[in-house]
Amino acid sequence: MTQTEQLSIADARAYLLDRARERGVTLEVYGERGTSTSVEAFGGEVSEFKLEARQGVALRVLVKGAWGHSFTENLSRPALDRALDSAIENAELVAPEPGAGLVAWPEPPALDLYGEGLSGVSVEQKVQVALDLDRAAREADPRVVSVPYGGYQDSDSQRLVGNTAGLSREARQLYALHYTAPLVSEGGQNKMKPDWQFTREFTELDPTRTALSAVEKALALLGARPAPSGTFPAVISGECLAELLALFAGMFSGKMVEEGKSPLAGRLGEPVASPLVTLRDDPTPVRGLNSRAFDAEGCPSVPLTLIEGGRLSAFMHNAQTAARAGTVSTGHAARQGLQGTVGVAPSNLILQAGDTDAAALASGLTGVRLTGVSGGHAGANPITGDFSLQAEGFWLEDGVTAYPLEVFTVAGNILDLLAGIEAVGNELHDTPDAVSAPDVRVGALAIGGA
């Protein structure tokens, strides 16, 4: 066995924990390994093809109440020793943090996110999905000018955590998805609207259905007229509401609350939304984009209700933010790759569906149907909840769609919007942001036309 031999991430974890115990060091090891495929198609040909593989470990050492971090993608024993030395040295350079500590969490739930979804699937089959998607979108309607964005992706990954307190766990998961965004044109107007499909079973992918749906959505935007300016009653699509919730998901983070960066700080137990609103974060659905059996610290994943009947009932916590807040971890420790430190993040946010069907939701309404927003990187303030965003949608007359609107601006505050919900639709809509929401009706929405 040579010094330069690359260990598996499981063997690297075992080696590091043994070395840490020999040295009397408190250590957490987080590891990732994965392979992925990405295929893009344009004009009937493959425009990009990528096969990627990655693995590595991140170390977190606790020295006198201070965290020291390091990571390595070189899993040889000398490299692992250097990473451990580096983490210890880094811990000695920083100040202690209240609430720092490691926990040997109980066992996580049994959650099969792997199955046989990609078993026996060839590269040629994956490429064909991207080509079929591109072809179906181009041939769906003469008004389709091109399909500038479209392709297939999959991932097969393993994630593990271990610490010197005795915790040891690992999990595997896979997924496949495809996406398309056809460009349509008529009468000098160009419109584009994406659609996608996510699954853990390759055979469930239906590129023709996804392509036709995207084309239909894009065509519906043609013939747009200028939007009026003012405040109007509105129906907000589930996809659009999910986009807004994704922009402001950080306000439910215990870390953001303690840093004074959430508009919900100090409001636990208070009404913060309409009584019709129940919002939860659920890491356990098998078809959830961000589902997981345990978080980045190994804490078991369980559903967490954030808003119940309009009342703020919980914040998301990792072990350290929970300790400082005098509570327990909710299983929301998160890492942004191996190089990041441990933060707090949601898994799958779900605004609970109501009992109002689509027709009743818009019944008698003259105003706006909001179907999408963009520009959140500049137009959304997560500290105050305020937003001013580019938007798309339709004008409704007495509950019936009259015509699409040219791009307009929508402005408001996310908490005011949630408080103003008057009815909640009975069907959930999923989004690539791992947020699901139903259509809702609000009494007043401020928009500005061009």
Side-chain angles (χ1 to χ4, degrees):
M1 189 173 292
T2 66
Q3 287 291 298
T4 57
E5 180 188 0
Q6 295 293 303
L7 304 182
S8 68
I9 57 173
D11 288 342
R13 173 183 60 180
Y15 177 80
L16 285 165
L17 292 175
D18 285 345
R19 294 288 290 136
R21 291 186 181 105
E22 290 171 5
R23 299 173 64 173
V25 172
T26 301
L27 172 68
E28 175 188 86
V29 180
Y30 173 85
E32 292 181 350
R33 177 211 59 80
T35 57
S36 62
T37 309
S38 175
V39 187
E40 294 182 5
F42 179 79
E45 298 181 350
V46 174
S47 56
E48 184 174 277
F49 179 86
K50 290 182 182 178
L51 286 175
E52 295 183 348
R54 66 191 186 283
Q55 69 172 2
V57 292
L59 290 69
R60 193 165 62 141
V61 165
L62 188 62
V63 178
K64 297 178 182 179
W67 288 118
H69 300 267
S70 68
F71 78 98
T72 179
E73 294 175 337
N74 181 342
L75 300 187
S76 67
R77 288 171 177 79
L80 295 172
D81 286 332
R82 289 192 297 271
L84 181 57
D85 289 340
S86 178
I88 294 170
E89 291 169 5
N90 291 337
E92 293 169 344
L93 296 174
V94 297
E97 298 182 33
L102 295 179
V103 180
W105 305 102
E107 286 301 307
L111 194 61
D112 184 6
L113 302 176
Y114 197 80
E116 299 295 331
L118 292 175
S119 177
V121 179
S122 67
V123 169
E124 289 77 15
Q125 287 175 286
K126 299 175 183 182
V127 168
Q128 195 60 50
V129 169
L131 291 171
D132 288 348
L133 190 68
D134 177 71
R135 176 190 50 77
R138 285 186 291 108
E139 296 177 356
D141 191 277
R143 291 167 289 181
V144 176
V145 177
S146 69
V147 186
Y149 306 103
Y152 166 90
Q153 295 176 5
D154 66 34
S155 173
D156 181 334
S157 63
Q158 177 187 11
R159 191 170 63 101
L160 57 77
V161 187
N163 66 37
T164 49
L167 180 136
S168 178
R169 60 197 40 163
E170 61 187 78
R172 297 179 69 188
Q173 65 173 291
L174 58 78
Y175 70 82
L177 66 82
H178 60 216
Y179 60 94
T180 184
L183 176 67
V184 300
S185 181
E186 185 177 52
Q189 288 190 354
N190 297 314
K191 299 293 180 181
M192 187 164 60
K193 189 74 173 176
D195 209 343
W196 64 296
Q197 183 188 2
F198 170 93
T199 183
R200 300 194 190 278
E201 299 293 337
F202 180 86
T203 56
E204 292 181 350
L205 290 175
D206 190 341
T208 299
R209 183 178 62 184
T210 300
L212 294 178
S213 173
V215 170
E216 181 182 5
K217 291 178 180 180
L219 291 174
L221 297 172
L222 291 171
R225 304 180 192 178
S229 294
T231 300
F232 306 95
V235 172
I236 302 175
S237 74
E239 292 92 339
C240 183
L241 181 58
E243 291 172 356
L244 288 167
L245 288 170
L247 289 174
F248 293 100
M251 69 183 178
F252 296 102
S253 161
K255 188 173 188 295
M256 294 297 100
V257 170
E258 72 176 14
E259 292 176 358
K261 297 178 180 178
S262 167
L264 295 174
R267 300 193 63 184
L268 199 61
E270 295 181 8
V272 296
S274 161
L276 299 174
V277 171
T278 292
L279 177 69
R280 71 182 189 277
D281 186 79
D282 190 350
T284 62
V286 171
R287 292 180 179 272
L289 270 73
N290 287 341
S291 292
R292 47 176 168 68
F294 54 87
D295 71 3
E297 294 177 311
C299 181
S301 292
V302 293
L304 176 69
T305 300
L306 300 166
I307 298 176
E308 186 165 17
R311 194 174 296 272
L312 181 63
S313 55
F315 290 116
M316 299 178 291
H317 284 288
N318 62 29
Q320 189 164 332
T321 64
R324 289 198 288 255
T327 184
V328 295
S329 174
T330 59
H332 286 88
R335 284 180 176 269
Q336 300 300 317
L338 298 175
Q339 300 182 44
T341 56
V342 176
V344 176
S347 56
N348 307 298
L349 279 176
I350 304 168
L351 197 149
Q352 185 173 299
D355 55 9
T356 306
D357 63 33
L361 205 62
S363 179
L365 188 148
T366 295
V368 180
R369 175 172 172 81
L370 189 67
T371 58
V373 291
S374 59
H377 60 286
N381 186 330
I383 298 175
T384 64
D386 293 333
F387 60 86
S388 180
L389 304 167
Q390 280 197 336
E392 66 180 24
F394 300 83
W395 185 255
L396 303 181
E397 290 283 354
D398 196 23
V400 178
T401 300
Y403 50 84
L405 298 171
E406 288 285 9
V407 174
F408 55 96
T409 299
V410 60
N413 181 279
I414 187 64
L415 295 180
D416 292 341
L417 186 147
L418 293 175
I421 291 177
E422 300 175 341
V424 178
N426 59 4
E427 181 181 354
L428 278 178
H429 302 275
D430 300 329
T431 68
D433 297 314
V435 183
S436 302
D439 294 0
V440 299
R441 186 177 70 232
V442 297
L445 188 69
I447 68 171

